[in-house]
Amino acid sequence: MTIMPINFSKNFKRQLADEINIKYANRVLPNLGLCIALKAIEHVGAPKYVAGTTGMHVKVRFRLIVFRPFAQEVLTGVVLDSDKDGIQISLGFFQDIYVPRENMPNTWEFNEEENAWVWNYEGNPYTIDQDEKVNVRVEEIEYDSSRRMDSASDQGGPAMRVLASMSADGGLGC
């Protein structure tokens, strides 16, 4: 980590923690997951000054809190968006969970007028509206290694995307 001269007067460990969070928080590390925040600083090496640079360089070993769901894990989120191809789910802090049409129960149909999926349960229609609380099962996690660590979707797609299912078994869906 690099501490700039303007920050030399600040608490050293607090400044290291801030720099780690700036670099990693809300970023996706490919094949690891979405970094949420610093959990602990385990070791701080001796500060070094490198000729030609203005900052103080420090080797730091630390632990991060990372969101990385595992296959078959059940997550509870809310419907963010729906279209004829599937449903996008949000956990609040992570919005790139997608349930494709083929991973939905065959008793569900898309209603284009309402732009929502409808569950036909024993002859009774139940609309899966936006902001509806749902359970999904993680099937696969995809990482876009061509992207930088940003998790924001404004650069042509998410850096990490969770593909999920809402099969009728196990209380999934709504």
Side-chain angles (χ1 to χ4, degrees), residues 106-141:
N106 56 13
T107 58
W108 289 30
E109 297 174 356
F110 186 71
N111 182 326
E112 292 196 26
E113 290 177 12
E114 294 186 34
N115 197 39
W117 284 86
V118 178
W119 174 29
N120 292 308
Y121 180 70
E122 296 179 355
N124 298 312
Y126 180 77
T127 304
I128 313 301
D129 293 316
Q130 191 171 6
D131 297 323
E132 185 90 26
K133 194 176 197 179
V134 294
N135 295 324
V136 297
R137 177 177 289 124
V138 174
E139 298 296 333
E140 180 182 357
I141 301 173

Side-chain angles (χ1 to χ4, degrees), residues 47-75:
K48 295 181 182 177
Y49 297 94
V50 179
T53 65
T54 58
M56 174 175 48
H57 303 278
V58 182
K59 285 190 177 187
V60 182
R61 186 174 63 234
F62 54 91
R63 290 185 290 155
L64 295 169
I65 298 169
V66 177
F67 171 68
R68 181 184 183 173
F70 55 87
Q72 304 305 307
E73 180 176 2
V74 175
L75 302 173

